[in-house]
Amino acid sequence: MPRLGYSQQDVDDLVSRIVAGLEGKGPAVDRREIVSFLSSPTLSSPGYDSSSARVFLTNLFGLMGRI
């Protein structure tokens, strides 16, 4: 049954782009893109639980501000 969450593929792609940007292997992901992503969960099945993905990406967002 579909539930509100985040597409596993979309989250994985975003995290991969963030890592690539931090490693200088791709364009940097703007923090606004993360905020926009977090504000638009979708119905997904299978996918990442919305609260778990939100906690992970919010923590990553905070770490990016310290780099």
Side-chain angles (χ1 to χ4, degrees):
M1 169 181 252
R3 63 179 197 265
L4 191 61
Y6 297 94
S7 158
Q8 183 174 352
Q9 185 65 48
D10 290 348
V11 172
D12 291 349
D13 289 347
L14 178 61
V15 171
S16 292
R17 290 188 306 112
I18 291 168
V19 170
L22 292 172
E23 292 177 338
K25 298 177 182 175
V29 173
D30 189 285
R31 292 175 64 185
R32 288 176 289 184
E33 185 175 349
I34 298 172
V35 171
S36 175
F37 184 88
L38 288 171
S39 67
S40 58
T42 60
L43 291 178
S44 63
S45 180
Y48 290 124
D49 174 70
S50 63
S51 60
S52 297
R54 182 176 297 278
V55 167
F56 174 79
L57 291 169
T58 300
N59 288 336
L60 183 57
F61 177 87
L63 291 172
M64 289 174 65
R66 297 180 188 162
I67 296 175

